[in-house]
Amino acid sequence: MVGGKRKGFSSHRKMIFQRKYRFLNIQDSWRYIWIVIGISVTLCSFFICKNDSDLVSVKVRFQNRAWAEPVKVEQRLPGIPGLTAKDCGSCHEEHYQEWKVSTHANAFTDLQFQAELSKPNSPQWLCLNCHIPLSGQRKEIATHLKDGDVFQPVLVPNKKFNAQWEKEGISCGTCHLKSDSEGNTILIGPTGANAPHPVEKNREALHARCNDCHNQDYKLNMSLVCYFKTGDEYKESIHFPKEDCVSCHMPSINRSVVLSSFNKEKRNSHRHTFIGSGVPKTFELFDAQWKGYQSGLKVEEPRWSFIKNENARLNLTIENSFAGHSVPTGDPERHLLIEAVLQSSNGKEIARKVQKIGQSWKWYPEAKLVDDNRILSGEKRKLVLNLKIDRDSLPAFGILRILHVRLTKENAEHMRKNAKNAPSEIGEKLKQIEKHYPYSNVFYESKTDLKTGKIRLTSKSDLLSASKRGNL
């Protein structure tokens, strides 16, 4: 009896256990599957939430920086077919043709920029925020950074990406489009004139837009800095506050701002060629960009003299009287080269002296500005270059040449070596960079007859021809 009762009790407990914990019966395969799914979801949720807590919004990471993210714009506005420069050009044809030959239009296709993008350590998404700054130009948009690291962006595919818009670089919309607090796209202009499309008058925003890219100082890591101080230089210039960037780089002319078929009266309108240093992004652009080009420097007549027949001396005075910023400005590696050359009567070079004017940086292991001897706005500087000559040499001519250098031969070689990392079409051009990309221009040249003291200045057309040949 006792044995029977124990047996019965044991069976009863077993039944209760099976009913109560039946969902754990791994013999029922579908229940086992649900258990695995439940555990997986729980674990995934844990890790996702954990990882989310490590993400930093780009807005938070780069507070109050216009280049933190692209400008969010729609694909179109009422009254116009689209927002690309080509779309704008269907009515504003002259402005469009001017923009097409500008440096801004080549901001994305620029070979030097593309070479930088191809470097393994390049924070591509961030660089693109200045070179193609509208949302419709971007294949992917960075919204967050893992642990706030610029090299670990969370990239979201952009369904509204426009490949044509991407190639336009700094397009019309870069300055004329903005997004309000509610995400609406607004087109702004200097006058708010009546047009087939809505336009809001905001001249101040247009004139201030330059500084969003051209006045930035930010250190991303030990060896990677963004250093463009043109806006700050302007505030210390002789032209502040009477004139601004637009005054020189977008001079105003009287013309119709739309096609003649609109029968609109002429009015003052800014040119959109954005003339700058006179060193374009391709050799083909030299002619267009030199039409309105003028150096910011005033160069006085060079004075040559001899000391004890073994040394020649060039005394030179240059003045930054036209530019509202230092010369040169912008890219830290831009500089001027002052070349003093002595020639014999048959054109043979006897002696040469070169002086650099620009910034000097130490890039590794930590980026650091070592020296800066650029010419400040309004500054008048006297230069002395001494050239040693042999006693038996008989120099007949003294030549002074001034170059604006954007790319050194040394850096060009780095670009050439990096060609393998670039897209094939870009890479092929980088392999022969000297054929596609101007390193510099020569904007001043004089030849002094050392016997008579007569000075001959090289014409602008001849300077242009020399610059277009390259190999300066």
Side-chain angles (χ1 to χ4, degrees), residues 123-190:
Q124 295 184 2
W125 70 273
L126 193 56
C127 303
L128 291 171
N129 283 354
C130 271
H131 285 254
I132 45 174
L134 301 175
S135 59
Q137 298 178 294
R138 306 296 292 276
K139 293 178 183 178
E140 299 174 317
I141 296 177
T143 59
H144 294 78
L145 306 173
K146 296 177 182 177
D147 296 319
D149 185 357
V150 295
F151 299 100
Q152 298 189 69
V154 176
L155 299 173
V156 178
N158 184 12
K159 295 180 180 179
K160 296 183 179 180
F161 168 67
N162 183 326
Q164 177 189 321
W165 213 353
E166 176 190 48
K167 290 182 175 63
E168 288 186 351
I170 307 298
S171 184
C172 306
T174 300
C175 299
H176 288 278
L177 293 177
K178 67 176 185 176
S179 181
D180 67 13
S181 58
E182 297 179 359
N184 300 313
T185 301
I186 298 174
L187 192 153
I188 62 175

Side-chain angles (χ1 to χ4, degrees), residues 48-63:
I48 289 174
C49 291
K50 180 179 183 298
N51 289 337
D52 277 347
S53 65
D54 295 333
L55 298 180
V56 179
S57 166
V58 293
K59 289 183 179 180
V60 174
R61 177 67 169 80
F62 300 108
Q63 293 185 32

Side-chain angles (χ1 to χ4, degrees), residues 406-423:
R406 186 182 61 213
L407 179 66
T408 64
K409 293 181 179 180
E410 179 184 4
N411 285 340
E413 285 306 309
H414 288 303
M415 291 168 62
R416 200 190 311 273
K417 292 176 182 178
N418 199 47
K420 61 181 181 297
N421 298 322

Side-chain angles (χ1 to χ4, degrees), residues 218-459:
Y218 201 91
K219 190 170 185 177
L220 294 170
N221 63 21
M222 292 285 285
S223 61
L224 189 58
V225 297
C226 184
Y227 192 85
F228 299 89
K229 304 291 287 181
T230 306
D232 288 347
E233 293 164 14
Y234 159 68
K235 291 179 181 178
E236 300 295 327
S237 79
I238 57 175
H239 300 286
F240 176 81
K242 301 183 297 294
E243 298 170 302
D244 63 9
C245 311
V246 172
S247 305
C248 294
H249 297 279
M250 299 179 68
S252 184
I253 59 172
N254 188 262
R255 61 174 171 179
S256 175
V257 299
V258 292
L259 296 172
S260 58
S261 58
F262 283 85
N263 295 317
K264 293 287 186 179
E265 292 184 0
K266 292 183 178 181
R267 62 178 177 84
N268 285 337
S269 170
H270 294 290
R271 286 198 178 276
H272 284 63
T273 42
F274 306 101
I275 298 302
S277 68
V279 188
K281 300 296 185 181
T282 66
F283 285 101
E284 292 77 13
L285 292 172
F286 257 115
D287 288 323
Q289 293 197 13
W290 268 53
K291 284 182 179 178
Y293 168 68
Q294 178 185 1
S295 167
L297 298 179
K298 178 182 177 181
V299 183
E300 296 187 3
E301 287 188 350
R303 299 298 177 191
W304 292 87
S305 59
F306 292 92
I307 305 171
K308 298 180 181 179
N309 295 325
E310 294 184 7
N311 289 285
R313 174 172 294 172
L314 170 63
N315 287 277
L316 176 66
T317 300
I318 51 180
E319 182 178 359
N320 183 357
S321 57
F322 304 116
H325 49 71
S326 299
V327 173
T329 190
D331 189 326
E333 295 186 332
R334 286 181 180 269
H335 59 273
L336 304 182
L337 289 181
I338 313 294
E339 295 184 348
V341 180
L342 291 173
Q343 284 185 349
S344 64
S345 57
N346 60 6
K348 180 182 177 182
E349 183 175 305
I350 294 175
R352 170 186 292 263
K353 183 76 172 182
V354 179
Q355 183 169 327
K356 175 184 173 181
I357 296 178
Q359 300 177 55
S360 295
W361 283 76
K362 178 183 178 182
W363 295 108
Y364 301 101
E366 181 178 2
K368 183 180 180 181
L369 178 61
V370 177
D371 184 46
D372 185 355
N373 70 341
R374 293 176 300 158
I375 306 172
L376 304 178
S377 177
E379 178 186 356
K380 191 171 187 177
R381 183 179 300 182
K382 296 183 182 295
L383 302 174
V384 178
L385 287 82
N386 293 310
L387 294 82
K388 189 172 181 59
I389 56 177
D390 296 332
R391 284 187 178 181
D392 297 332
S393 298
L394 295 174
F397 302 102
I399 296 175
L400 168 63
R401 190 179 294 119
I402 307 179
L403 289 77
H404 186 129
V405 181
R406 186 182 61 213
L407 179 66
T408 64
K409 293 181 179 180
E410 179 184 4
N411 285 340
E413 285 306 309
H414 288 303
M415 291 168 62
R416 200 190 311 273
K417 292 176 182 178
N418 199 47
K420 61 181 181 297
N421 298 322
S424 58
E425 183 179 353
I426 298 296
E428 289 303 312
K429 290 183 177 180
L430 290 177
K431 290 176 183 177
Q432 300 182 2
I433 183 68
E434 69 282 350
K435 294 183 178 181
H436 301 282
Y437 202 71
Y439 295 3
S440 60
N441 72 24
V442 52
F443 64 87
Y444 176 91
E445 186 179 60
S446 65
K447 187 174 185 177
T448 302
D449 186 316
L450 299 176
K451 185 175 182 180
T452 66
K454 185 178 180 179
I455 301 173
R456 182 177 67 83
L457 294 178
T458 302
S459 67

Side-chain angles (χ1 to χ4, degrees), residues 459-472:
S459 67
K460 185 176 180 179
S461 60
D462 287 341
L463 292 173
L464 173 59
S465 297
S467 299
K468 288 167 65 176
R469 287 195 297 269
N471 297 320
L472 294 172

